Amino acid sequence: MKLLGISGTITGSKTLVVVKKVLERIQVDDPEIEVELLDLKKFDVQFCDGRDPSTYTGDTKKVIDIVSSADFYIIGTPVFQGSITGALKNLFDLVHPQALRNKVMGFVATGGTYQHYLVVENQLKPIAGYFRAFVAPSYVYAQNDHFNMENDIFDAEVLERINILAAEVVMMQKALKGNTPTFT
């Protein structure tokens, strides 16, 4: 089983911290799971222009291939102007919907206010629904106050939500592995 953590931003560092924390928890709980991290900051991804995903080249093709080859996901985004990042939306636009169908997704979001947690409910979950993906019931939202000056998460409730999300996505993936019905 290959789990892909996606830090869906090209700026900042808090989202990457939270995604890594979830991946680390999963590796501690189940070291047999292959874990990979996709940090969009490290790639020069083209804007989606509507063409077939297989025709892209360079970093864009590499990122599409990395996302398409994963079995399940932890997807993170900071919240800018009450929305997911353009970089993450572009990634969703680049990947063929069939590549994400029937796969488990867990969500992480970070933001500057406590209210931006609604982005997970109002934007990320509907996108997953479009892809016909399975969504973990829990998610992690971390606000600036949950981090110390070194960008470490110190808030006990956020750390507990990380543990819960990690357990849920693994449990869902294991339940579906080899048992996934084909929906067309």
Side-chain angles (χ1 to χ4, degrees):
M1 285 190 299
K2 180 179 174 185
L3 170 63
L4 180 63
I6 301 172
S7 178
T9 183
I10 57 173
T11 186
S13 59
K14 287 182 175 64
T15 299
L16 181 62
V17 167
V18 182
V19 170
K20 280 183 174 179
K21 204 74 155 155
V22 177
L23 297 179
E24 289 167 5
R25 179 79 254 165
I26 289 170
Q27 284 189 305
V28 165
D29 292 345
D30 196 334
E32 292 183 17
I33 295 175
E34 178 186 347
V35 174
E36 185 174 358
L37 176 65
L38 174 63
D39 183 355
L40 288 182
K41 267 187 248 180
K42 296 183 177 183
F43 297 90
D44 183 20
V45 178
Q46 295 173 282
F47 283 113
C48 178
D49 58 16
R51 67 180 128 141
D52 186 304
S54 67
T55 63
Y56 286 94
T57 60
D59 277 359
T60 306
K61 178 179 179 14
K62 185 175 183 178
V63 166
I64 291 170
D65 291 345
I66 290 169
V67 172
S68 299
S69 69
D71 297 311
F72 62 129
Y73 308 90
I74 296 295
I75 301 171
T77 184
V79 177
F80 296 143
Q81 306 297 340
S83 184
I84 66 173
T85 65
L88 183 58
K89 176 61 170 88
N90 187 55
L91 178 63
F92 285 137
D93 290 343
L94 286 166
V95 176
H96 193 282
Q98 197 64 33
L100 300 173
R101 180 169 276 219
N102 296 329
K103 294 186 179 179
V104 174
M105 292 182 178
F107 294 119
V108 166
T110 58
T113 73
Y114 284 96
Q115 291 76 19
H116 281 135
Y117 74 92
L118 292 171
V119 167
V120 175
E121 293 290 341
N122 296 325
Q123 293 178 24
L124 290 171
K125 286 185 177 183
I127 289 170
Y130 169 77
F131 287 121
R132 304 295 190 256
F134 297 103
V135 179
S138 298
Y139 56 87
V140 176
Y141 178 76
Q143 195 263 350
N144 289 341
D145 292 344
H146 298 137
F147 295 86
N148 64 21
M149 296 299 286
E150 290 79 35
N151 263 350
D152 294 321
I153 303 166
F154 70 90
D155 185 272
E157 286 182 36
V158 172
L159 292 169
E160 181 59 19
R161 287 195 298 266
I162 286 169
N163 293 340
I164 292 168
L165 178 61
E168 283 180 359
V169 295
V170 170
M171 185 250 339
M172 289 176 70
Q173 179 63 23
K174 285 183 175 185
L176 292 168
K177 187 177 184 221
N179 236 351
T180 306
T182 304
F183 300 105
T184 53

